[in-house]
Amino acid sequence: NAGVTQTPKFQVLKTGQSMTLQCAQDMNHNSMYWYRQDPGMGLRLIYYSASEGTTDKGEVPNGYNVSRLNKREFSLRLESAAPSQTSVYFCASSEALAGGADTQYFGPGTRLTVL
Amino acid sequence: RKEVEQDPGPFNVPEGATVAFNCTYSNSASQSFFWYRQDCRKEPKLLMSVYSSGNEDGRFTAQLNRASQYISLLIRDSKLSDSATYLCVVNTGNNDMRFGAGTRLTVKP
C-alpha cells in the first residue's frame, strides 16, 4: 500500500513553460486535493475533486488546471508557469464524499521552482 | 484577516515540559477541526481530530471552544520526537479545509 504518490519530487521550470504534476492514491478514496505551501502562509487549497469526474476550485485556483482522470489519479497542470508559482505542491486524498470531512492523507510533495 | 491563525513560535521547551498551542478561526460556520503534524520538508500527517467535548490521545489533549472560536492542543511530558510544526486545520464546509501557517515546536534535551 503506497498511499499517495506524487511525481516528480523536484522540478525547475523557466517562466512560460508548462508542466503537469501527477498524483495517484491506492486507498480507493473518493476525494482528492491539490495544495500549495509557501513559507508563512500555510497550505492553501488549489483545486479539489469530490468524486471521479468532478472538480471544484479552492482558495487559489488561478494559473492552474486539474483533471480527475479516474478514481485513483488527479493531475495538476501549470499552462504557463510564473515565478509566483514557486512553491511546494502537495496532493492529498480522503474517503470523504462531497460535503463531508475526513482525514486527509498527503503525498510527499513536489518542490517546484520557476525561474 | 486570515481564516485560521496560529502563533508561529518557535516554542523551545525542555524534555518533559508541558506546552500548549492555540489556534483561532474566523468562520463561525466551520464544521470540523483537526491538528496535523508536519516534520521538516515532509508532508503533513493527522495528529488528532478535535471534538466539541474535547479529546485526549496519550500525551496529547485537544479542546474546541466554539463560542470563542478557538482550538487548543496540549502536549504533556514533551519528547524530543515531538519536535515538529503543528498545523491547525478547519473545515469550513464542503471539504474546504483551511490550514493555519503552523506553530513550530523544538523540544531540547
Side-chain angles (χ1 to χ4, degrees):
Chain A
N1 224 357
V4 180
T5 57
Q6 289 183 237
T7 54
K9 285 192 167 48
F10 301 92
Q11 184 71 49
V12 178
L13 292 178
K14 293 181 180 175
T15 297
Q17 286 185 314
S18 62
M19 79 161 296
T20 300
L21 281 64
Q22 306 287 354
C23 174
Q25 51 92 8
D26 62 2
M27 297 175 281
N28 201 36
H29 283 169
N30 294 299
S31 295
M32 297 185 75
Y33 313 81
W34 276 106
Y35 292 92
R36 59 178 289 174
Q37 185 173 33
D38 303 294
M41 298 289 292
L43 278 81
R44 290 182 292 168
L45 183 64
I46 304 170
Y47 271 94
Y48 68 97
S49 169
S51 62
E52 188 178 345
T54 67
T55 60
D56 285 284
K57 294 179 181 180
E59 190 182 352
V60 289
N62 292 345
Y64 305 95
N65 286 302
V66 290
S67 180
R68 183 78 182 265
L69 304 166
N70 47 55
K71 193 170 186 181
R72 288 188 65 247
E73 297 171 291
F74 189 38
S75 62
L76 178 73
R77 182 159 179 85
L78 286 69
E79 290 291 351
S80 179
S84 60
Q85 294 178 305
T86 293
S87 189
V88 181
Y89 290 85
F90 287 103
C91 177
S93 72
S94 75
E95 285 189 46
L97 294 168
D102 205 348
T103 303
Q104 294 195 2
Y105 296 85
F106 286 82
T110 295
R111 296 181 184 279
L112 175 68
T113 301
V114 183
L115 302 174
Chain B
R1 185 187 168 195
K2 291 181 185 176
E3 286 223 35
V4 180
E5 296 213 53
Q6 296 182 247
D7 180 346
F11 284 67
N12 297 309
V13 302
E15 264 186 299
T18 296
V19 61
F21 308 136
N22 286 330
C23 163
T24 58
Y25 61 94
S26 60
N27 187 338
S28 59
S30 296
Q31 300 172 1
S32 51
F33 310 88
F34 309 87
W35 283 101
Y36 276 71
R37 171 196 168 126
Q38 186 173 25
D39 293 296
C40 189
R41 300 180 76 81
K42 299 283 191 180
E43 70 272 24
K45 293 183 180 178
L46 179 70
L47 179 66
M48 57 198 304
S49 302
V50 186
Y51 304 118
S52 297
S53 54
N55 48 302
E56 191 174 306
D57 183 2
R59 298 181 292 108
F60 298 85
T61 301
Q63 298 275 358
L64 167 63
N65 185 319
R66 282 191 186 271
S68 301
Q69 294 181 209
Y70 81 81
I71 306 145
S72 65
L73 177 67
L74 182 77
I75 305 175
R76 290 181 299 278
D77 189 23
S78 299
K79 311 289 184 195
L80 295 175
S81 57
D82 293 334
S83 296
T85 297
Y86 291 84
L87 307 176
C88 174
V89 184
V90 174
N91 178 19
T92 59
N94 285 326
N95 263 330
D96 189 0
M97 306 283 269
R98 298 297 171 110
F99 285 71
T103 298
R104 204 165 95 223
L105 171 67
T106 301
V107 181
K108 302 194 170 179

